[in-house]
Amino acid sequence: MAKQKLQYVCQNCGAVTPRWGGKCEACNAWNTIIEENPGAGIGGASKRMVGKGRVMELVPLEGETPEAPRILCGIAELDRVTGGGFVPGSALLVGGDPGIGKSTILLQAAALMAKLGRRVVYISGEEAIAQVRMRAQRLGLADAPVSLAAETSVEDILTTLEADEPPHLVILDSIQTLWTSQVDSAPGTVTQVRTAAQAMIRYAKKTGTTIILVGHVTKDGQIAGPRVVEHMVDAVFYFEGEGGHQFRIMRAVKNRFGPTDEIGVFEMTGGGLREVSNPSELFLGERKANNPGTAVFAGMEGTRPVLVEIQALVAPSSLGTPRRAVVGWDNSRLAMVIAVLETHCGVKIGANDVYLNIAGGLRIAEPAADLAVAAALVSSLTGAPLPQNSVYFGEVSLSGAIRSVTHTQARLKEAEKLGFTLATAPEATQDNSSGLKEITINSTADLTGMVARIAASAPQREA
Ligand code: TYD
Ligand code: MG
């Protein structure tokens, strides 16, 4: 009898090794390698199946391609992130921390779609039927014709789905609970998750059903185990938000049918997730007048301009190595802005603790925020509040010059719409401001000019 072949799989990155080890050579994670039996599921197909292939037809690149039809789910913010609705036959992965609201938003989407006359199946592997029903009641959606099941066996799910007309949408909550008897590993292991996802995706492609898989996120923010699943699905969305805040952001990190920098903004309320169609008002909601250390950044999230408040606190340090704490922005980017301020503008921040926070729990990745961060830092250090009516954007280069950024017009328009009358922005911005009457542009070629302006308005301190 052939010896049963075992393999060792890293639960972090999915790398397969022939031997167990304490550390995964591929991703350097410790204690993540687990013994798994691949069985016949993956790469374990028996020799009999390897036969002669058939001749397939090769076609030219050019040809008829009907525009993928889209199914709108009725939640505008969700339709925005998906790139204009669900594409039939596609598989989506929604990841996020436990308790962030994945099940809630998907149940809301399922119910709305069902009410629009689509066939929707919601399969919960984590909650009992009663729990899902209770949530639906709380959301006021109990009357939606969603087909519900609490099930974890892939075989049972597929048999059930295949027995009837294929639904438009199937939601599987969550992929970690799915389990197939094709492989011997325990549920939640990489091999199980991968095989289960494969089976479900195959079903989606075959029938034209859209599949949404829910994935848990590990401590370090990755979808647990199935990094591999991210490669298999058509789109990956992260549902995120700061613990203490009500805002939730659905962010596309991969999308074969749409842009990846789009976000959908929601607010968690007692009655489920509510769409926020004008995020700027939300992120600027509680601004106080004349606070030193706050600057309004005119940013972009995908195609949408979003104004956010950047808060900085520069305080004398009692430590040998001053603290740098950043929430919502890049640590090394802050270090860079501080270095440029010190070197080129004579601003002495070095011995102080620096705290930087993006209001509302938003996370900013744009370099265009440099200028707003610099303004907030200088304002906090000098105690000079920035003008109430002013927004900031621009990338700071290492030489201290301000570089122009994209979407200038959209940023200015949004600022104008919300009543701002002054924009501190890169020099080239002037040409872009046509058609904007209310807003004056304070163009800055380098950081020194802006710093001098802020410092000049500082209250005189006693020596
Ligand atoms: P849930 O969708 O279960 O999160 P996930 O599936 O991502 O783990 O969300 C649960 C949280 O949402 C829970 O902490 C309570 C909160 N919540 C509300 O605030 N309002 C509501 O109407 C609902 C249904 C949940
Ligand atoms: Mg859940």
Side-chain angles (χ1 to χ4, degrees):
M1 199 179 84
K3 207 172 136 222
Q4 201 178 33
K5 209 169 158 206
L6 288 175
Q7 60 181 19
Y8 297 87
V9 184
C10 169
Q11 302 298 307
N12 188 40
C13 67
V16 180
T17 61
R19 232 164 285 111
W20 187 85
K23 180 180 168 191
C24 169
E25 293 297 333
C27 69
N28 290 330
W30 285 92
N31 288 330
T32 54
I33 295 181
I34 285 185
E35 177 184 298
E36 291 190 15
N37 184 349
I42 303 166
S46 66
K47 287 249 163 51
R48 266 179 291 123
M49 284 173 66
V50 186
K52 207 161 169 239
R54 65 186 169 84
V55 178
M56 56 186 189
E57 187 194 359
L58 297 171
V59 295
L61 208 49
E62 198 179 19
E64 287 270 303
T65 42
E67 176 73 18
R70 301 271 188 167
I71 304 178
L72 294 175
C73 73
I75 301 179
E77 290 291 302
L78 193 59
D79 286 333
R80 172 201 287 278
V81 255
T82 52
F86 300 128
V87 175
S90 65
L92 284 58
L93 180 66
V94 175
D97 291 327
I100 204 76
K102 301 181 294 295
S103 306
T104 308
I105 186 77
L106 291 176
L107 187 63
Q108 284 181 274
L112 274 179
M113 265 183 77
K115 280 187 176 176
L116 292 174
R118 311 279 184 187
R119 287 184 303 280
V120 182
V121 176
Y122 186 102
I123 295 171
S124 175
E126 297 190 338
E127 289 160 302
I129 302 257
Q131 275 175 296
V132 181
R133 280 190 178 150
M134 244 157 64
R135 174 174 300 153
Q137 250 160 31
R138 181 170 165 181
L139 299 171
L141 297 167
D143 57 338
V146 175
S147 310
L148 181 65
E151 187 51 69
T152 55
S153 157
V154 174
E155 282 76 21
D156 291 355
I157 293 172
L158 284 175
T159 308
T160 311
L161 291 178
E162 276 158 4
D164 213 342
E165 205 181 335
H168 291 101
L169 178 69
V170 175
I171 294 169
L172 296 159
D173 187 3
S174 68
I175 180 77
Q176 274 89 5
T177 55
L178 287 190
W179 166 88
T180 164
S181 56
Q182 275 185 45
V183 290
D184 287 344
S185 314
T189 53
V190 169
T191 311
Q192 274 288 357
V193 166
R194 186 163 43 189
T195 314
Q198 239 164 19
M200 294 313 305
I201 291 169
R202 210 176 309 124
Y203 172 79
K205 301 282 176 236
K206 197 171 72 190
T207 58
T209 298
T210 302
I211 299 263
I212 300 184
L213 305 167
V214 176
H216 287 287
V217 164
T218 55
K219 281 188 269 31
D220 44 345
Q222 293 182 346
I223 293 182
R227 281 248 89 170
V228 267
V229 177
E230 294 195 14
H231 301 293
M232 290 157 58
V233 294
D234 297 303
V236 179
F237 303 104
Y238 276 86
F239 203 38
E240 48 189 40
E242 286 291 324
H245 290 287
Q246 298 305 310
F247 318 122
R248 300 285 184 268
I249 290 169
M250 179 80 83
R251 196 183 288 276
V253 292
K254 162 180 171 178
N255 195 349
R256 287 190 185 142
F257 307 111
T260 50
D261 48 3
E262 212 55 273
I263 63 165
V265 185
F266 300 89
E267 189 181 0
M268 182 60 100
T269 66
L273 287 148
R274 195 180 63 80
E275 301 177 56
V276 176
S277 41
N278 189 351
S280 298
E281 277 173 14
L282 197 76
F283 294 124
L284 291 178
E286 297 142 30
R287 240 152 52 86
K288 282 216 192 72
N290 290 330
N291 245 350
T294 63
V296 176
F297 166 51
M300 294 294 296
E301 286 288 350
T303 56
R304 175 159 53 171
V306 178
L307 301 196
V308 272
E309 185 182 271
I310 292 183
Q311 308 164 343
L313 178 64
V314 180
S317 179
S318 54
L319 303 169
T321 314
R323 279 182 83 130
R324 303 275 185 264
V326 186
V327 180
W329 206 47
D330 186 16
N331 235 320
S332 45
R333 203 97 206 152
L334 172 69
M336 194 201 87
V337 172
I338 292 177
V340 174
L341 280 172
E342 296 220 337
T343 317
H344 296 291
C345 312
V347 178
K348 293 278 168 274
I349 290 178
N352 293 298
D353 287 339
V354 176
Y355 303 92
L356 191 79
N357 179 38
I358 310 298
L362 195 68
R363 214 185 54 220
I364 297 181
E366 267 193 300
D370 292 354
L371 196 64
V373 170
L377 288 172
V378 176
S379 163
S380 174
L381 183 73
T382 57
L386 299 169
Q388 260 311 105
N389 56 352
S390 184
V391 296
Y392 297 80
F393 63 89
E395 183 179 342
V396 172
S397 77
L398 284 180
S399 65
I402 309 288
R403 306 182 50 181
S404 55
V405 295
T406 53
H407 297 107
T408 309
Q409 184 86 17
R411 293 175 205 264
L412 291 172
K413 261 209 188 113
E414 177 78 0
E416 198 181 66
K417 201 169 88 194
L418 290 167
F420 289 86
T421 54
L422 195 63
T424 304
E427 239 179 354
T429 308
Q430 213 79 46
D431 324 330
N432 257 310
S433 58
S434 52
L436 299 167
K437 292 181 213 76
E438 311 290 328
I439 200 156
T440 315
I441 292 161
N442 225 336
S443 57
T444 1
D446 58 31
L447 206 50
T448 324
M450 188 191 73
V451 171
R453 230 175 355 225
I454 297 172
S457 67
Q460 292 304 314
R461 287 199 194 166
E462 281 153 43

PDB file of all heavy atoms in Angstrom, residues 195-222:
ATOM      1  N   THR A 195      -9.631  24.665  -0.565  1.00  0.00           N
ATOM      2  CA  THR A 195     -10.439  23.706  -1.316  1.00  0.00           C
ATOM      3  C   THR A 195     -11.902  24.124  -1.347  1.00  0.00           C
ATOM      4  O   THR A 195     -12.562  24.057  -2.386  1.00  0.00           O
ATOM      5  CB  THR A 195     -10.327  22.302  -0.686  1.00  0.00           C
ATOM      6  OG1 THR A 195      -8.962  22.052  -0.419  1.00  0.00           O
ATOM      7  CG2 THR A 195     -10.836  21.236  -1.611  1.00  0.00           C
ATOM      8  N   ALA A 196     -12.390  24.594  -0.187  1.00  0.00           N
ATOM      9  CA  ALA A 196     -13.785  25.019  -0.114  1.00  0.00           C
ATOM     10  C   ALA A 196     -14.016  26.217  -1.028  1.00  0.00           C
ATOM     11  O   ALA A 196     -14.993  26.262  -1.786  1.00  0.00           O
ATOM     12  CB  ALA A 196     -14.136  25.373   1.335  1.00  0.00           C
ATOM     13  N   ALA A 197     -13.094  27.169  -0.989  1.00  0.00           N
ATOM     14  CA  ALA A 197     -13.236  28.362  -1.825  1.00  0.00           C
ATOM     15  C   ALA A 197     -13.219  27.969  -3.298  1.00  0.00           C
ATOM     16  O   ALA A 197     -14.025  28.456  -4.095  1.00  0.00           O
ATOM     17  CB  ALA A 197     -12.121  29.351  -1.513  1.00  0.00           C
ATOM     18  N   GLN A 198     -12.301  27.057  -3.628  1.00  0.00           N
ATOM     19  CA  GLN A 198     -12.204  26.597  -5.019  1.00  0.00           C
ATOM     20  C   GLN A 198     -13.529  26.013  -5.508  1.00  0.00           C
ATOM     21  O   GLN A 198     -14.007  26.335  -6.589  1.00  0.00           O
ATOM     22  CB  GLN A 198     -11.141  25.504  -5.108  1.00  0.00           C
ATOM     23  CG  GLN A 198     -10.017  25.824  -6.044  1.00  0.00           C
ATOM     24  CD  GLN A 198      -8.836  24.904  -5.793  1.00  0.00           C
ATOM     25  OE1 GLN A 198      -8.976  23.839  -5.192  1.00  0.00           O
ATOM     26  NE2 GLN A 198      -7.672  25.315  -6.259  1.00  0.00           N
ATOM     27  N   ALA A 199     -14.115  25.166  -4.657  1.00  0.00           N
ATOM     28  CA  ALA A 199     -15.367  24.515  -5.040  1.00  0.00           C
ATOM     29  C   ALA A 199     -16.460  25.557  -5.252  1.00  0.00           C
ATOM     30  O   ALA A 199     -17.229  25.486  -6.215  1.00  0.00           O
ATOM     31  CB  ALA A 199     -15.786  23.521  -3.962  1.00  0.00           C
ATOM     32  N   MET A 200     -16.534  26.543  -4.362  1.00  0.00           N
ATOM     33  CA  MET A 200     -17.571  27.561  -4.464  1.00  0.00           C
ATOM     34  C   MET A 200     -17.349  28.457  -5.681  1.00  0.00           C
ATOM     35  O   MET A 200     -18.291  28.846  -6.369  1.00  0.00           O
ATOM     36  CB  MET A 200     -17.634  28.412  -3.192  1.00  0.00           C
ATOM     37  CG  MET A 200     -18.067  27.677  -1.936  1.00  0.00           C
ATOM     38  SD  MET A 200     -19.520  26.620  -2.076  1.00  0.00           S
ATOM     39  CE  MET A 200     -20.747  27.742  -2.702  1.00  0.00           C
ATOM     40  N   ILE A 201     -16.078  28.773  -5.946  1.00  0.00           N
ATOM     41  CA  ILE A 201     -15.785  29.640  -7.091  1.00  0.00           C
ATOM     42  C   ILE A 201     -16.111  28.910  -8.395  1.00  0.00           C
ATOM     43  O   ILE A 201     -16.645  29.487  -9.339  1.00  0.00           O
ATOM     44  CB  ILE A 201     -14.305  30.094  -7.055  1.00  0.00           C
ATOM     45  CG1 ILE A 201     -14.105  31.040  -5.876  1.00  0.00           C
ATOM     46  CG2 ILE A 201     -13.906  30.784  -8.359  1.00  0.00           C
ATOM     47  CD1 ILE A 201     -12.670  31.351  -5.563  1.00  0.00           C
ATOM     48  N   ARG A 202     -15.826  27.607  -8.406  1.00  0.00           N
ATOM     49  CA  ARG A 202     -16.146  26.814  -9.593  1.00  0.00           C
ATOM     50  C   ARG A 202     -17.652  26.850  -9.843  1.00  0.00           C
ATOM     51  O   ARG A 202     -18.107  27.006 -10.973  1.00  0.00           O
ATOM     52  CB  ARG A 202     -15.664  25.373  -9.403  1.00  0.00           C
ATOM     53  CG  ARG A 202     -15.277  24.701 -10.717  1.00  0.00           C
ATOM     54  CD  ARG A 202     -14.708  23.309 -10.498  1.00  0.00           C
ATOM     55  NE  ARG A 202     -13.631  23.264  -9.518  1.00  0.00           N
ATOM     56  CZ  ARG A 202     -13.643  22.481  -8.431  1.00  0.00           C
ATOM     57  NH1 ARG A 202     -14.666  21.678  -8.185  1.00  0.00           N
ATOM     58  NH2 ARG A 202     -12.626  22.479  -7.608  1.00  0.00           N
ATOM     59  N   TYR A 203     -18.414  26.769  -8.751  1.00  0.00           N
ATOM     60  CA  TYR A 203     -19.873  26.825  -8.876  1.00  0.00           C
ATOM     61  C   TYR A 203     -20.300  28.176  -9.450  1.00  0.00           C
ATOM     62  O   TYR A 203     -21.158  28.247 -10.336  1.00  0.00           O
ATOM     63  CB  TYR A 203     -20.526  26.591  -7.503  1.00  0.00           C
ATOM     64  CG  TYR A 203     -22.014  26.827  -7.510  1.00  0.00           C
ATOM     65  CD1 TYR A 203     -22.880  25.866  -8.015  1.00  0.00           C
ATOM     66  CD2 TYR A 203     -22.545  28.026  -7.052  1.00  0.00           C
ATOM     67  CE1 TYR A 203     -24.242  26.089  -8.052  1.00  0.00           C
ATOM     68  CE2 TYR A 203     -23.906  28.259  -7.089  1.00  0.00           C
ATOM     69  CZ  TYR A 203     -24.753  27.287  -7.593  1.00  0.00           C
ATOM     70  OH  TYR A 203     -26.096  27.519  -7.643  1.00  0.00           O
ATOM     71  N   ALA A 204     -19.653  29.243  -8.952  1.00  0.00           N
ATOM     72  CA  ALA A 204     -20.009  30.592  -9.420  1.00  0.00           C
ATOM     73  C   ALA A 204     -19.761  30.733 -10.916  1.00  0.00           C
ATOM     74  O   ALA A 204     -20.611  31.214 -11.669  1.00  0.00           O
ATOM     75  CB  ALA A 204     -19.206  31.634  -8.646  1.00  0.00           C
ATOM     76  N   LYS A 205     -18.602  30.274 -11.354  1.00  0.00           N
ATOM     77  CA  LYS A 205     -18.233  30.409 -12.774  1.00  0.00           C
ATOM     78  C   LYS A 205     -19.184  29.592 -13.656  1.00  0.00           C
ATOM     79  O   LYS A 205     -19.524  29.987 -14.767  1.00  0.00           O
ATOM     80  CB  LYS A 205     -16.794  29.924 -13.020  1.00  0.00           C
ATOM     81  CG  LYS A 205     -15.741  30.649 -12.225  1.00  0.00           C
ATOM     82  CD  LYS A 205     -15.399  32.023 -12.809  1.00  0.00           C
ATOM     83  CE  LYS A 205     -14.407  32.750 -11.932  1.00  0.00           C
ATOM     84  NZ  LYS A 205     -14.819  34.060 -11.461  1.00  0.00           N
ATOM     85  N   LYS A 206     -19.568  28.442 -13.129  1.00  0.00           N
ATOM     86  CA  LYS A 206     -20.386  27.518 -13.921  1.00  0.00           C
ATOM     87  C   LYS A 206     -21.811  28.046 -14.094  1.00  0.00           C
ATOM     88  O   LYS A 206     -22.397  27.938 -15.154  1.00  0.00           O
ATOM     89  CB  LYS A 206     -20.410  26.153 -13.207  1.00  0.00           C
ATOM     90  CG  LYS A 206     -20.850  25.002 -14.084  1.00  0.00           C
ATOM     91  CD  LYS A 206     -20.641  23.693 -13.359  1.00  0.00           C
ATOM     92  CE  LYS A 206     -21.653  23.525 -12.235  1.00  0.00           C
ATOM     93  NZ  LYS A 206     -21.374  22.392 -11.341  1.00  0.00           N
ATOM     94  N   THR A 207     -22.347  28.641 -13.016  1.00  0.00           N
ATOM     95  CA  THR A 207     -23.768  28.989 -13.044  1.00  0.00           C
ATOM     96  C   THR A 207     -24.046  30.470 -13.250  1.00  0.00           C
ATOM     97  O   THR A 207     -25.173  30.855 -13.528  1.00  0.00           O
ATOM     98  CB  THR A 207     -24.431  28.601 -11.709  1.00  0.00           C
ATOM     99  OG1 THR A 207     -23.728  29.294 -10.669  1.00  0.00           O
ATOM    100  CG2 THR A 207     -24.360  27.119 -11.469  1.00  0.00           C
ATOM    101  N   GLY A 208     -23.012  31.316 -13.076  1.00  0.00           N
ATOM    102  CA  GLY A 208     -23.251  32.749 -13.202  1.00  0.00           C
ATOM    103  C   GLY A 208     -23.766  33.388 -11.931  1.00  0.00           C
ATOM    104  O   GLY A 208     -24.189  34.546 -11.924  1.00  0.00           O
ATOM    105  N   THR A 209     -23.712  32.625 -10.845  1.00  0.00           N
ATOM    106  CA  THR A 209     -24.102  33.180  -9.543  1.00  0.00           C
ATOM    107  C   THR A 209     -22.956  34.029  -8.992  1.00  0.00           C
ATOM    108  O   THR A 209     -21.799  33.687  -9.182  1.00  0.00           O
ATOM    109  CB  THR A 209     -24.368  32.017  -8.563  1.00  0.00           C
ATOM    110  OG1 THR A 209     -25.440  31.243  -9.079  1.00  0.00           O
ATOM    111  CG2 THR A 209     -24.708  32.511  -7.179  1.00  0.00           C
ATOM    112  N   THR A 210     -23.287  35.115  -8.338  1.00  0.00           N
ATOM    113  CA  THR A 210     -22.238  35.880  -7.649  1.00  0.00           C
ATOM    114  C   THR A 210     -22.076  35.318  -6.253  1.00  0.00           C
ATOM    115  O   THR A 210     -23.058  35.077  -5.551  1.00  0.00           O
ATOM    116  CB  THR A 210     -22.630  37.367  -7.535  1.00  0.00           C
ATOM    117  OG1 THR A 210     -22.854  37.876  -8.841  1.00  0.00           O
ATOM    118  CG2 THR A 210     -21.541  38.171  -6.859  1.00  0.00           C
ATOM    119  N   ILE A 211     -20.816  35.056  -5.867  1.00  0.00           N
ATOM    120  CA  ILE A 211     -20.553  34.475  -4.552  1.00  0.00           C
ATOM    121  C   ILE A 211     -19.824  35.496  -3.696  1.00  0.00           C
ATOM    122  O   ILE A 211     -18.849  36.091  -4.141  1.00  0.00           O
ATOM    123  CB  ILE A 211     -19.638  33.229  -4.690  1.00  0.00           C
ATOM    124  CG1 ILE A 211     -20.295  32.163  -5.536  1.00  0.00           C
ATOM    125  CG2 ILE A 211     -19.204  32.721  -3.336  1.00  0.00           C
ATOM    126  CD1 ILE A 211     -20.991  31.103  -4.769  1.00  0.00           C
ATOM    127  N   ILE A 212     -20.292  35.706  -2.493  1.00  0.00           N
ATOM    128  CA  ILE A 212     -19.551  36.558  -1.564  1.00  0.00           C
ATOM    129  C   ILE A 212     -19.062  35.699  -0.413  1.00  0.00           C
ATOM    130  O   ILE A 212     -19.843  35.043   0.267  1.00  0.00           O
ATOM    131  CB  ILE A 212     -20.427  37.701  -1.008  1.00  0.00           C
ATOM    132  CG1 ILE A 212     -20.929  38.572  -2.157  1.00  0.00           C
ATOM    133  CG2 ILE A 212     -19.623  38.542  -0.019  1.00  0.00           C
ATOM    134  CD1 ILE A 212     -21.712  39.782  -1.705  1.00  0.00           C
ATOM    135  N   LEU A 213     -17.737  35.678  -0.239  1.00  0.00           N
ATOM    136  CA  LEU A 213     -17.150  34.934   0.866  1.00  0.00           C
ATOM    137  C   LEU A 213     -16.752  35.925   1.949  1.00  0.00           C
ATOM    138  O   LEU A 213     -16.177  36.965   1.652  1.00  0.00           O
ATOM    139  CB  LEU A 213     -15.893  34.195   0.384  1.00  0.00           C
ATOM    140  CG  LEU A 213     -16.057  33.265  -0.820  1.00  0.00           C
ATOM    141  CD1 LEU A 213     -14.697  32.858  -1.366  1.00  0.00           C
ATOM    142  CD2 LEU A 213     -16.846  32.037  -0.414  1.00  0.00           C
ATOM    143  N   VAL A 214     -17.064  35.599   3.183  1.00  0.00           N
ATOM    144  CA  VAL A 214     -16.639  36.461   4.284  1.00  0.00           C
ATOM    145  C   VAL A 214     -15.381  35.857   4.872  1.00  0.00           C
ATOM    146  O   VAL A 214     -15.306  34.647   5.073  1.00  0.00           O
ATOM    147  CB  VAL A 214     -17.740  36.546   5.355  1.00  0.00           C
ATOM    148  CG1 VAL A 214     -17.265  37.360   6.553  1.00  0.00           C
ATOM    149  CG2 VAL A 214     -18.994  37.165   4.766  1.00  0.00           C
ATOM    150  N   GLY A 215     -14.376  36.665   5.112  1.00  0.00           N
ATOM    151  CA  GLY A 215     -13.118  36.157   5.657  1.00  0.00           C
ATOM    152  C   GLY A 215     -12.736  36.894   6.921  1.00  0.00           C
ATOM    153  O   GLY A 215     -12.918  38.102   7.023  1.00  0.00           O
ATOM    154  N   HIS A 216     -12.213  36.144   7.910  1.00  0.00           N
ATOM    155  CA  HIS A 216     -11.768  36.809   9.133  1.00  0.00           C
ATOM    156  C   HIS A 216     -10.386  37.372   8.947  1.00  0.00           C
ATOM    157  O   HIS A 216      -9.630  36.924   8.103  1.00  0.00           O
ATOM    158  CB  HIS A 216     -11.751  35.819  10.287  1.00  0.00           C
ATOM    159  CG  HIS A 216     -13.114  35.487  10.738  1.00  0.00           C
ATOM    160  ND1 HIS A 216     -13.875  36.363  11.441  1.00  0.00           N
ATOM    161  CD2 HIS A 216     -13.875  34.390  10.524  1.00  0.00           C
ATOM    162  CE1 HIS A 216     -15.042  35.807  11.670  1.00  0.00           C
ATOM    163  NE2 HIS A 216     -15.072  34.615  11.111  1.00  0.00           N
ATOM    164  N   VAL A 217     -10.067  38.299   9.784  1.00  0.00           N
ATOM    165  CA  VAL A 217      -8.772  38.945   9.684  1.00  0.00           C
ATOM    166  C   VAL A 217      -7.957  38.595  10.915  1.00  0.00           C
ATOM    167  O   VAL A 217      -8.480  38.529  12.026  1.00  0.00           O
ATOM    168  CB  VAL A 217      -8.988  40.464   9.554  1.00  0.00           C
ATOM    169  CG1 VAL A 217      -7.739  41.227   9.840  1.00  0.00           C
ATOM    170  CG2 VAL A 217      -9.509  40.789   8.173  1.00  0.00           C
ATOM    171  N   THR A 218      -6.672  38.340  10.730  1.00  0.00           N
ATOM    172  CA  THR A 218      -5.802  38.006  11.856  1.00  0.00           C
ATOM    173  C   THR A 218      -5.379  39.278  12.575  1.00  0.00           C
ATOM    174  O   THR A 218      -5.687  40.371  12.144  1.00  0.00           O
ATOM    175  CB  THR A 218      -4.532  37.290  11.364  1.00  0.00           C
ATOM    176  OG1 THR A 218      -3.926  38.127  10.385  1.00  0.00           O
ATOM    177  CG2 THR A 218      -4.860  35.951  10.769  1.00  0.00           C
ATOM    178  N   LYS A 219      -4.630  39.077  13.661  1.00  0.00           N
ATOM    179  CA  LYS A 219      -4.193  40.226  14.464  1.00  0.00           C
ATOM    180  C   LYS A 219      -3.458  41.255  13.619  1.00  0.00           C
ATOM    181  O   LYS A 219      -3.622  42.446  13.802  1.00  0.00           O
ATOM    182  CB  LYS A 219      -3.278  39.753  15.595  1.00  0.00           C
ATOM    183  CG  LYS A 219      -4.038  39.170  16.757  1.00  0.00           C
ATOM    184  CD  LYS A 219      -3.100  38.906  17.890  1.00  0.00           C
ATOM    185  CE  LYS A 219      -2.507  37.598  17.933  1.00  0.00           C
ATOM    186  NZ  LYS A 219      -2.050  36.546  17.546  1.00  0.00           N
ATOM    187  N   ASP A 220      -2.645  40.791  12.685  1.00  0.00           N
ATOM    188  CA  ASP A 220      -1.879  41.765  11.911  1.00  0.00           C
ATOM    189  C   ASP A 220      -2.611  42.216  10.648  1.00  0.00           C
ATOM    190  O   ASP A 220      -2.015  42.748   9.727  1.00  0.00           O
ATOM    191  CB  ASP A 220      -0.466  41.253  11.592  1.00  0.00           C
ATOM    192  CG  ASP A 220      -0.477  39.804  11.150  1.00  0.00           C
ATOM    193  OD1 ASP A 220      -1.504  39.149  11.358  1.00  0.00           O
ATOM    194  OD2 ASP A 220       0.533  39.345  10.606  1.00  0.00           O
ATOM    195  N   GLY A 221      -3.928  41.998  10.617  1.00  0.00           N
ATOM    196  CA  GLY A 221      -4.718  42.661   9.592  1.00  0.00           C
ATOM    197  C   GLY A 221      -4.824  41.949   8.256  1.00  0.00           C
ATOM    198  O   GLY A 221      -5.267  42.524   7.285  1.00  0.00           O
ATOM    199  N   GLN A 222      -4.399  40.664   8.205  1.00  0.00           N
ATOM    200  CA  GLN A 222      -4.560  39.964   6.939  1.00  0.00           C
ATOM    201  C   GLN A 222      -5.702  38.985   7.048  1.00  0.00           C
ATOM    202  O   GLN A 222      -6.021  38.511   8.129  1.00  0.00           O
ATOM    203  CB  GLN A 222      -3.275  39.215   6.602  1.00  0.00           C
ATOM    204  CG  GLN A 222      -2.154  40.170   6.311  1.00  0.00           C
ATOM    205  CD  GLN A 222      -0.897  39.439   5.928  1.00  0.00           C
ATOM    206  OE1 GLN A 222      -0.786  38.237   6.118  1.00  0.00           O
ATOM    207  NE2 GLN A 222       0.044  40.165   5.379  1.00  0.00           N
TER     208      GLN A 222
END
